[in-house]
Each structure stands twice: as structure tokens, then as C-alpha cells.
Amino acid sequence: MPTGDRSGGCPRPYQAPAPLALAEVHPHSTAFMEYRDYYQILGVARTATAEEIKKAYRRLARKFHPDVSKEANAEQKFKELQEAYEVLKDPEKRAAYDQLGSDWKSGQQFRPPPGWAEGFEFRGSGGAGAGGFRQGFEDEGGFSDFFSSLFGGGSPFGGATGTRPRSRAGRDHHARIDLDLEEAYSGGTRTLELKRPELKPDGTLELRAHTVRVTIPTGVTDGQQIRLAGQGEASSSGGRSGDLYLEVHIRPHRLFQVDGRDVTLNLPIAPWEAALGASVPVPTLAGNVEMRIPPGSQSGQKLRLRGRGLPGSPVGDQYVLLKIVLPPAQSPEARAVYEEMQRVMPFDPRAGLA
């Protein structure tokens, strides 16, 4: 496959640091699902304290427990109660859920807004992924699509990785950082304002804001974690503080699609460039380069620019997908050209369908 890169060589190789623990990346879902009003399910106000939520759950759980309840829908209702309580009993999940707003109604078609968890800091204690409750509940198919999309294993509030067991040190914290592709390519520094949910003495929830300064490594990839040592939870027994892990999410780009360190660009070309060959300018993350289009190229053909993806070890490549674009026949002269082509070039594009 031709490289086509005539720009004078590849970007300077980047020696990546030792890889950090990677979090499972939650797919950017485009599917709609039914919104669940967890406050309504438990019959409490959005301002309810932790104790009020616990009392409401216990009362309803006794009423709808499948082993004792005579209600026809007891098992389904009980699962809904468990799911609602799993979110509202946890300060971090509750605060994240509250960020979705109060305008939604149960049963409405819902899709998580892009970047909804950005700037939200949570503890790395395993979240919903820890303990037997989630495992047993999930095995029964109890979690709804709504819950899984927000708090499932691939979300920032699921089973977090990068957490080290420690008896005296503070717990690790995790947050999400959204980057433009250009930032991931070149690296840099960023000041983030993070919100850390905490319970007040009266049992109500508040978000405490604080700022951190982070150095973004050159060539950081989607799903990679950036570790900020000592910026997690303080130790309650005089030990070292936990660490803060920032999980990288690269925003969609208007030109490039990203796959690991490789990027792909759809490149429009004219019919004569495809038929005769040409040298054309091609955007890359480092600026335009000249690329040779081979004669006889077809739409969908893929060319490679070696070393033009994200820096790293190994460095990524850029793939260029050709797309032949026809000029419109909007003038008598243009129509005459197409008619002349039809006359002198007996060509049947559907010959292979016979």
C-alpha cells in the first residue's frame, strides 16, 4: 500500500511513559431508553436526606419482597426499588444522577447527554461493581438499560480500575477529562474544576468544587488514565493521600476518526484525479502534507500516511479513504463534457452485475 507521504519524513518518535492502568471505555451510546425517576420509585422528594431514603426503601422492600408480597408485580417492583436505592444511597451516584436535571418524567425517551460526567470526581472504591449485590442482581438481568448506560461497568461510576488496596492511605479518586483530538496529539497543561460529592452532617448532599492542574502527555489515547499522585482522598489515619486518576475521553472530530493511535480521514477527490493520478494536499494532525493519488484509484480505496497518527510507542498512522466527487453538470459546457465522455468512453459500471 503506498504511503504517499512526501512531506520530508514522519513526526519525531515519542517515547511514551510506562502505561497507566486503563479503564474500560464506555461506548458513546446513541440509543434511546426509558428515563427512570428514582425519587418517584422510592416515593421521596429530591431533597430527601440519606436517612429518609433508607427508611423509604426498607418500608417498600418489605411490602414488595417476592417471598412475602401478594402483589402481582412484586418481583418487578422489588427490582426497581433495588435499582433506585443503589443509586440514591450512594452520594456519588446520586449527585451524578441529579446532574441530569429534574425535568424528566418516568417513561420518557432518554439519551445521556454527551460529556454528562465530565468534571465529576468519585471515589475508586469499586462503586456499583463491588460486592455481591451488583453481581447477583446483574446475573438476574435486574439492571435497566437506563442504569447500565449511566452506572454500568464502562461508565465512570462502575467498577473502576487503578485502585490499590491500602489499609492506611486515602482512597484513590477518579474523574473524566474530555480532550479535543489536537490536545491529545500535542499534549499540554489544563486546569480542571472538579466537583466532589459529600454528605453534610444533616444527611443532605452537596458538591464541593476544587481545582487541579494536569499535564496532558503527548499522544494520550481515548480511555487512558492520567495519574495525579496524592490528589485523591486524604488519609484518616495519617497515611499518604490517595491518587486522582483522570480518564481521557477524546471528543469527536470534524475531520478525523480515531482508533487507538491511528486516525482516518475521508478525502474527496475529482474524477480526473482518480483516473489520471495527482498530488493533492491532505490535512494531518501536524498540518497539510502532499500525497500522491495513484492513477486508476477508486472510491473507498484506502491509502496510508505512516507515522501521521497520534505520537507514542509505536506511533500511529493516518489512513486516507478516497471518495470520488462528481462535478455538477449545471452549464451547457459541463453537460457537453459529460456527453463527450459518454461518446468516447463506452463504460458500463454495472457490467459485473450480469
Side-chain angles (χ1 to χ4, degrees):
M1 186 176 296
T3 64
D5 190 350
R6 302 172 59 188
S7 62
C10 299
R12 180 176 60 85
Y14 171 73
Q15 186 64 40
L20 301 171
L22 299 183
E24 183 181 3
V25 182
H26 186 54
H28 301 291
S29 173
T30 58
F32 283 92
M33 64 208 71
E34 288 190 1
Y35 179 82
R36 293 206 167 188
D37 188 334
Y38 292 135
Y39 292 101
Q40 184 184 72
I41 290 172
L42 290 180
V44 297
R46 295 181 71 90
T47 56
T49 65
E51 186 63 26
E52 290 170 339
I53 290 171
K54 181 191 295 186
K55 287 181 179 179
Y57 169 71
R58 288 179 173 176
R59 174 176 54 82
L60 292 171
R62 285 193 297 268
K63 177 180 178 181
F64 290 100
H65 196 288
D67 292 343
V68 298
S69 179
K70 304 300 183 182
E71 302 285 342
N73 64 338
E75 184 174 356
Q76 180 60 35
K77 183 67 175 178
F78 186 69
K79 287 183 177 181
E80 292 176 358
L81 291 170
Q82 283 185 304
E83 180 174 311
Y85 187 55
E86 174 69 9
V87 173
L88 299 187
K89 75 176 181 180
D90 185 296
E92 294 158 353
K93 292 191 190 70
R94 182 181 177 184
Y97 175 75
D98 287 349
Q99 288 193 143
L100 299 175
S102 59
D103 295 333
W104 296 94
K105 305 298 181 184
S106 279
Q108 279 187 334
Q109 291 298 293
F110 170 83
R111 181 167 60 191
W116 71 278
E118 184 179 10
F120 195 91
E121 184 178 337
F122 62 102
R123 292 168 294 179
S125 57
F133 167 79
R134 171 171 177 171
Q135 185 62 49
F137 194 38
E138 201 165 50
D139 288 345
E140 298 174 5
F143 280 118
S144 66
D145 291 341
F146 176 76
F147 179 97
S148 297
S149 70
L150 300 179
F151 307 108
S155 95
F157 305 93
T161 62
T163 303
R164 300 186 303 276
R166 38 167 71 92
S167 56
R168 297 180 181 177
R171 282 181 294 185
D172 293 339
H173 280 206
H174 295 255
R176 165 178 170 151
I177 179 172
D178 286 6
L179 301 178
D180 292 330
L181 182 56
E182 290 81 2
E183 290 179 281
Y185 176 80
S186 60
T189 58
R190 174 90 77 83
T191 299
L192 302 179
E193 181 172 298
L194 300 179
K195 295 167 287 185
R196 182 178 295 178
E198 295 182 6
L199 282 178
K200 296 193 292 185
D202 63 359
T204 58
L205 189 69
E206 71 172 352
L207 292 176
R208 292 188 178 178
H210 68 110
T211 59
V212 297
R213 187 170 178 82
V214 56
T215 298
I216 301 165
T218 303
V220 68
T221 56
D222 194 77
Q224 184 174 337
Q225 290 193 9
I226 301 172
R227 174 173 169 259
L228 302 182
Q231 297 198 39
E233 185 174 78
S235 171
S236 59
S237 57
R240 67 176 296 274
S241 296
D243 300 330
L244 172 61
Y245 289 87
L246 299 176
E247 183 183 291
V248 172
H249 288 253
I250 298 179
R251 299 185 184 100
H253 195 275
R254 71 180 188 90
L255 294 180
F256 300 103
Q257 297 83 49
V258 184
D259 181 12
R261 296 191 186 278
D262 295 334
V263 297
T264 299
L265 170 77
N266 292 316
L267 181 70
I269 58 174
W272 48 87
E273 292 173 330
L276 304 176
S279 181
V280 300
V282 175
T284 75
L285 292 172
N288 284 359
V289 301
E290 287 292 315
M291 187 182 76
R292 181 67 186 172
I293 306 295
S297 294
Q298 301 289 330
S299 273
Q301 187 172 337
K302 182 185 289 187
L303 307 179
R304 179 168 61 178
L305 296 174
R306 294 183 184 274
R308 289 290 174 176
L310 288 172
S313 181
V315 65
D317 297 325
Q318 176 170 322
Y319 292 93
V320 179
L321 281 178
L322 302 181
K323 179 182 179 182
I324 298 175
V325 179
L326 296 177
Q330 294 179 338
S331 68
E333 293 80 6
R335 289 185 57 85
V337 171
Y338 278 113
E339 289 166 354
E340 181 66 8
M341 290 175 60
Q342 183 181 32
R343 185 182 68 80
V344 303
M345 300 174 63
F347 172 63
D348 183 3
R350 294 170 295 280
L353 299 181

